[in-house]
Amino acid sequence: GAVVSQHPSWVICKSGTSVKIECRSLDFQATTMFWYRQFPKQSLMLMATSNEGSKATYEQGVEKDKFLINHASLTLSTLTVTSAHPEDSSFYICSAAKPGGLETQYFGPGTRLLVL
Amino acid sequence: TQLLEQSPQFLSIQEGENLTVYCNSSSVFSSLQWYRQEPGEGPVLLVTVVTGGEVKKLKRLTFQFGDARKDSSLHITAAQPGDTGLYLCAGSRAGNMLTFGGGTRLMVKP
């Protein structure tokens, strides 16, 4: 199997605070993890590609200082939304790929962030 | 503009009807995947097609990859309310990351 978990499932925070979201591959090692953002009734938008032990690659228009990504181990990547604002409210989804298998991504259940 | 265009964007049908969702691009993909996503959950992989002209069946779902590997279709026979969800196609080129289509939101009414 290929199970990916995310924590937390839901988070509500005040504007200006930072929020950390964890993405874990539970039964396989993931050299590459991806972070997506999804607005209501829309498709997934890739934010960044996270490689274990190196800096993340951000998509155009995604602020790297705003969305901090750390991929410190083969089973864990974290996304920190710094100084969150209401417009950061969204559904954040991570996925993980097995070594050599970038074409197959296994998705986490998502984290819904609401910034008040 | 979307690299992968999905159509229709929204589809509401009665239980028992058939439907087809299309995923089109001007680019060639090494593989194409179809996902289904329910509200508040992450996408779940349905199928991966890699060969031009390939047809895969998953119960009442039939997936086809175009001969030129630029397009794909998903056909559902005798749709059921449990098929309701967001269907996403995603293409990959030479091992690179996935590019998602805009999604097709399907509602099957009992």
Side-chain angles (χ1 to χ4, degrees):
Chain A
V3 180
V4 177
S5 70
Q6 275 183 246
H7 178 79
S9 304
W10 263 98
V11 58
I12 302 174
C13 69
K14 291 182 178 180
S15 184
T17 60
S18 294
V19 176
K20 180 186 283 188
I21 303 170
E22 292 186 350
C23 177
R24 293 182 185 272
S25 55
L26 299 184
D27 52 1
F28 67 101
Q29 293 184 331
T31 50
T32 305
M33 289 185 169
F34 303 87
W35 286 96
Y36 295 84
R37 185 173 180 177
Q38 186 177 32
F39 291 106
K41 300 184 179 181
Q42 293 188 22
S43 187
L44 279 67
M45 289 176 49
L46 180 65
M47 297 175 65
T49 302
S50 168
N51 293 296
E52 186 266 338
S54 63
K55 290 184 179 180
T57 302
Y58 290 82
E59 293 301 296
Q60 191 172 9
V62 178
E63 300 175 56
K64 60 180 181 180
D65 296 329
K66 171 78 173 176
F67 300 98
L68 301 178
I69 292 173
N70 183 279
H71 193 160
S73 77
L74 287 172
T75 60
L76 173 65
S77 176
T78 60
L79 167 68
T80 301
V81 184
T82 61
S83 187
H85 290 286
E87 58 265 29
D88 297 324
S89 299
S90 190
F91 192 49
Y92 292 87
I93 307 174
C94 74
S95 70
K98 295 181 179 179
L102 284 178
E103 297 186 5
T104 298
Q105 295 182 23
Y106 302 93
F107 285 84
T111 296
R112 188 162 297 282
L113 170 64
L114 177 61
V115 184
L116 302 176
Chain B
T1 56
Q2 291 273 1
L3 189 61
L4 271 172
E5 296 287 342
Q6 267 187 257
S7 62
Q9 293 182 348
F10 183 78
L11 192 56
S12 179
I13 60 173
Q14 293 294 134
E15 182 177 1
E17 292 184 7
N18 302 332
L19 68 115
T20 302
V21 177
Y22 299 94
C23 182
N24 296 300
S25 176
S26 57
S27 301
V28 176
F29 292 99
S30 58
S31 70
L32 197 138
Q33 302 180 14
W34 285 92
Y35 293 85
R36 178 168 165 266
Q37 184 183 23
E38 298 197 32
E41 298 182 10
V44 175
L45 179 66
L46 297 174
V47 77
T48 301
V49 285
V50 296
T51 306
E54 182 177 4
V55 176
K56 281 191 173 179
K57 290 193 174 184
L58 184 66
K59 297 184 179 177
R60 292 177 293 102
L61 277 62
T62 302
F63 305 85
Q64 185 164 7
F65 201 12
D67 291 340
R69 290 185 290 140
K70 293 182 179 180
D71 53 83
S72 181
S73 64
L74 157 61
H75 182 79
I76 301 179
T77 303
Q80 298 176 2
D83 295 328
T84 293
L86 177 67
Y87 289 82
L88 297 160
C89 66
S92 177
R93 290 182 289 178
N96 286 333
M97 55 209 174
L98 294 176
T99 299
F100 278 86
T104 296
R105 193 164 296 277
L106 172 65
M107 180 179 293
V108 182
K109 294 179 279 189

